[in-house]
Amino acid sequence: MSSANARSHAVLSVATHRRDAEHLAGAHPAAAEHVSDPTEYFGCNVFDDKAMRRYLPKDVYKSLRKTIDLGRRLDPAVADVVANAMKTWAMERGADHYTHVFYPLTGLTAEKHDSFLDPDGKGGAIAQFGGNALVQGEADGSSFPSGGLRSTFEARGYTAWDVTSPAYLMESPAGMVLCIPTVFLSWTGIALDKKTPILRSNQALSQQAARVLRLFGVDPKMPISSNGGLEQEYFLIDGTFVSARPDLLIAGRALFGAHPPKGQEFDDQYYGVIPSRVLGFMADVQRQLYRLGVPVKTRHNEVAPSQYEIAPTYESGNLACDHNQLIMTVLRKTARRHGMSCLLHEKPFDCINGSGKHLNYSIGSPEVGNLFAPGDNPHENAQFLVFLCSVIRALHRHAGFLRASVSSASNDRRLGGHEAPPAIMSLFLGDQLTDVLEQFRAGHVTGSAGKRMMNVGVDTLPPLPADPGDRNRTSPFAFVGNRFEFRAVGSGMSASDALVVLNTMLAESLDYAADFLENIMQGDRSRLGEAVQKFIENVMEENSAVIFNGNGYSEIWQKEAERRGLPNYPATPDAVTVFSSEKVVQLCAKYHVFSRQELKAREDIELEQYLKTLHTEASLAIRMARTQIYPAAIRYRQELASSAAACASVGVPASLDTLKELSDIIVKFEAALHVLEARNASLAWAPGEEGLLASAREAQHTVIPAMEELRRWADKLETRVADDLWPLPSYLEMLFMK
């Protein structure tokens, strides 16, 4: 099928899919409204507390709960019992395989399936799953990114059961598989995954938070851990468009595409009525996630056309990251089943907003509650103010580390635009808390603004309570009532890197806070108020530069941030060198989160992935330009030339302006193509003699501008070439045909 025919087929296919979706919705309203009571099947595919109570002996259940709830070391004696119970539970529901699910440094989900069945030596088979198989597995450690931590001939890697994240059953047309969340380590014990650092950083955070709490007379028995709520944005377009667009298929984003006559400027997509076909997809996703125990709460249209969001409720940070990986998996699989494609690239379409993944972050436990809850009178809540000031200090001291945690070639295209937070890490507190801290700084605290009543001006509506302060959507790290919202994580990223950095930098700051308070109190609890006052004064004096409540998109802020000495890393090659800085190495070593070796490996992996991404995109752009766009332009020029010649032969005046303009654009397109070919050939993805960083910077400053120049002329051609000759589905078709 030719490119032009593929495009026509895609357009017709969308109309068919939409018609079928509307027919099904109309024919089966009951099915669309109500499949069954979700409270009855929520978590039915999870080996959760209810399943453990049913399938485990009481003593084993109690031992396992101590590990989960209190952070006690797992008793090896219970492993066999738990494994057998898990196998029985899974096989009763139709599972015949199990897998250790882990998250390698690709940021994706990895799994290797093993059967429960073993030959019995008599021509039959028996189902077996012992404690050793549950607790530890072996996987090939040579073919995942390791940043030099493992050589290709050194293949041994281990998976180890994360008891705190429950096992679950993943359904598919091929059957059920028991999925066991695990960490992934090398034979030498080095972390090769995203989960191990979360568990390490949570442990460090718990120890330092407990130190501070004990100064306030609270002696926690349960671990203090990070909590997370991850808002997932994504694009949804018809799958046949992806089949006709090699760039969407391979790179996940449109490398070419003229801006449509209408984008998001009318603000008619955001929170609009969800199209029936999309709603059917969303309902299917939600049912699957409910069965997996993922507490999804919100679904809605996002700002850009064909952009949507799904968000679960708050849960422990480790589990939130696991659940977000599940959400991304289910979104992609379900989209294919509905004849659509879910795009998780941070910037799939250049002319409209990209997609992020907002990480709502707090710390606490069921025992002590949310430690970021200010209460009605935050100026009197000394414990809250200490934890708040610890966050302020942490962000000011480690802003570069946090920025590096969200670096990638794809997220670089989103950060810093007027759609996402700036690459400069700053903290929004709002008027109420800023005023309270400034009062402490001045040494004279008078009170804090409370909620006000908002009179709507409609007799039938009562006065409505309004929060003490507004929200700021331009801030990368904003306080939003009882948590912080980190808005710089990319849509397709694992949120674990950001969570690890937040945990680690806060652990260091709480360690500092505990030392500071202890040095003043000298064991005298009556001096706590004095110590808190001096701590707040100290933090505000040394770290208030990171607080910014204004417009983060403004050019004025860029200059002001520079004046304040805040780091600004606009692209990945600028940011990731922070990983191997001595300051970060010492921080992570002190709290046993990363070794120097592990940090350097992560820096190299990020740079390598950056180079591979740019090389792949450039190679793809060259191929599409040569085999699709250029031939279409030449054919159209021939048509125009033939038409002009025919007019001249019969004495009819023919305007040659259009032909000349098209020829000029083709010449400039060819020139841009030659430049990109030369720069991409010199780069490849492999590092040059000067190393990965030098190669990444070369790509940043040569390949990206060359790709953008080629695109500029290709997009001009799209607006000149006859529509029936243009080979690629347009933005107009992809974004507005559902």
Side-chain angles (χ1 to χ4, degrees), residues 151-309:
S151 301
T152 53
F153 67 88
E154 296 174 311
R156 195 179 297 279
Y158 294 115
T159 54
W161 178 31
D162 174 15
V163 186
T164 61
S165 187
Y168 56 91
L169 293 170
M170 181 61 83
E171 295 181 81
S172 75
M176 285 211 183
V177 177
L178 173 64
C179 297
I180 303 160
T182 64
V183 300
F184 182 46
L185 306 166
S186 75
W187 179 72
T188 55
I190 292 171
L192 297 176
D193 68 332
K194 303 280 188 177
K195 179 184 277 287
T196 302
I198 292 180
L199 301 179
R200 292 174 179 173
S201 65
N202 260 333
Q203 189 166 287
L205 176 67
S206 181
Q207 291 169 352
Q208 301 309 322
R211 283 186 64 202
V212 173
L213 287 173
R214 281 193 284 271
L215 295 175
F216 285 90
V218 180
D219 189 13
K221 302 297 185 293
M222 300 178 72
I224 309 299
S225 68
S226 57
N227 299 309
L230 287 157
E231 306 168 34
Q232 176 70 57
E233 296 172 350
Y234 61 95
F235 280 85
L236 198 65
I237 65 171
D238 193 275
T240 46
F241 286 140
V242 175
S243 302
R245 296 270 325 202
D247 46 2
L248 288 178
L249 187 67
I250 302 298
R253 75 179 184 98
L255 300 176
F256 303 103
H259 294 186
K262 174 190 173 187
Q264 63 193 48
E265 63 275 4
F266 284 93
D267 300 319
D268 54 350
Q269 160 81 5
Y270 196 39
Y271 280 22
V273 176
I274 301 171
S276 58
R277 185 181 177 197
V278 175
L279 187 58
F281 157 82
M282 288 179 169
D284 193 354
V285 166
Q286 189 163 299
R287 283 191 293 270
Q288 293 178 68
L289 292 174
Y290 278 169
R291 296 174 71 83
L292 290 165
V294 182
V296 287
K297 182 75 173 177
T298 302
R299 63 191 188 196
H300 62 81
N301 286 3
E302 255 299 333
V303 172
S306 289
Q307 186 186 33
Y308 308 96
E309 180 177 299

Side-chain angles (χ1 to χ4, degrees), residues 13-24:
S13 176
V14 178
T16 302
H17 286 154
R18 183 170 58 188
R19 182 196 64 207
D20 291 346
E22 290 172 351
H23 170 73
L24 288 172

Side-chain angles (χ1 to χ4, degrees), residues 389-400 402-403 425-428 476-477 486 502 505-506 509 543 546-547 566-567:
C389 287
S390 296
V391 173
I392 295 170
R393 180 184 176 278
L395 184 62
H396 186 235
R397 287 181 57 81
H398 304 292
L402 187 60
R403 166 64 181 92
M425 296 291 104
S426 65
L427 188 151
F428 170 81
F477 198 65
F486 183 45
L502 288 170
M505 70 186 200
L506 183 53
S509 211
N543 303 279
V546 80
I547 300 172
L566 301 181

Side-chain angles (χ1 to χ4, degrees), residues 507-523:
E508 186 272 337
S509 211
L510 290 171
D511 188 358
Y512 174 86
D515 285 346
F516 189 101
L517 297 173
E518 287 169 356
N519 287 338
I520 294 175
M521 293 169 65
Q522 296 293 314

Side-chain angles (χ1 to χ4, degrees), residues 302-323:
E302 255 299 333
V303 172
S306 289
Q307 186 186 33
Y308 308 96
E309 180 177 299
I310 183 172
T313 55
Y314 230 49
E315 50 191 342
S316 76
N318 178 40
L319 188 57
C321 287
D322 285 1
H323 279 169

